[in-house]
Amino acid sequence: MIIMSDLHNNNRILTYLSDINERLTSLELRLADLESRNSPHVNDKMAVFLTVPDSIRKSLFAVSKLNSCTADEVSEITGRHRSIENKYLNELYRAGWIERDRKGKKIYYSLSKKIDSKNNDYWSAVEEVENKLSKLLG
């Protein structure tokens, strides 16, 4: 049996929850606005590349050097065990830095081309960094 006071309490709860939802939506919008002001878009490709964690940057350089390679080939360059390279390569893949292609039982990794929104042309962050380092170091 439903009592009138229960219906009244349920309506109050629903109104309260609706109010909380509106406040949360408002806070999310304000937070997004603040975050966009505090994190301006970075156009420097070197700075974008440096967002890759140090532990996996070595793997990214190896993939850049080899063009298309397996975790075994990357581990030969980095000197780390294949299972560690496999983990790092999967992290790079999930982050969008590299692409993977299964050929038979092997998975081949290659650089993912990033779009430079200003010029709307394709570029590779690793290649850009390698070019800058070559110019700096000779």
Side-chain angles (χ1 to χ4, degrees):
M1 180 194 298
I2 299 176
I3 303 174
M4 273 312 248
S5 65
D6 287 342
L7 286 175
H8 182 66
N9 283 338
N10 286 343
N11 284 337
R12 281 191 3 212
I13 290 171
L14 288 174
T15 303
Y16 182 69
L17 289 174
S18 177
D19 183 46
I20 290 173
N21 187 41
E22 287 176 24
R23 287 179 175 182
L24 285 173
T25 302
S26 172
L27 287 171
E28 286 174 343
L29 291 172
R30 289 173 59 195
L31 181 61
D33 182 49
L34 287 172
E35 286 175 341
S36 68
R37 286 188 217 164
N38 292 333
S39 343
H41 181 70
V42 177
N43 286 327
D44 184 3
K45 295 171 190 170
M46 177 78 104
V48 171
F49 175 72
L50 292 174
T51 63
V52 176
D54 290 338
S55 58
I56 61 177
R57 195 173 299 134
K58 194 174 183 181
S59 302
L60 191 56
F61 274 119
V63 172
S64 171
K65 188 178 209 177
L66 296 170
N67 293 326
S68 179
C69 54
T70 64
D72 286 324
E73 294 167 330
V74 172
S75 69
E76 289 175 16
I77 290 178
T78 63
R80 297 186 286 217
H81 195 270
R82 185 199 54 80
S83 61
I84 291 175
E85 285 308 328
N86 197 41
K87 176 183 179 285
Y88 290 162
L89 290 168
N90 282 318
E91 286 179 33
L92 289 166
Y93 171 73
R94 284 191 299 274
W97 285 98
I98 61 175
E99 297 171 353
R100 64 182 177 193
D101 182 36
R102 180 178 289 276
K103 294 178 185 171
K105 291 184 178 183
K106 295 193 177 218
I107 297 176
Y108 288 84
Y109 297 92
S110 59
L111 287 179
S112 177
K113 298 294 181 185
K114 302 280 183 176
I115 296 177
D116 184 350
S117 59
K118 215 174 204 183
N119 300 326
N120 202 20
D121 60 338
Y122 292 91
W123 59 277
S124 164
V126 176
E127 291 169 355
E128 182 77 18
V129 171
E130 285 178 334
N131 291 338
K132 285 186 177 184
L133 288 175
S134 294
K135 288 178 184 176
L136 289 173
L137 302 174

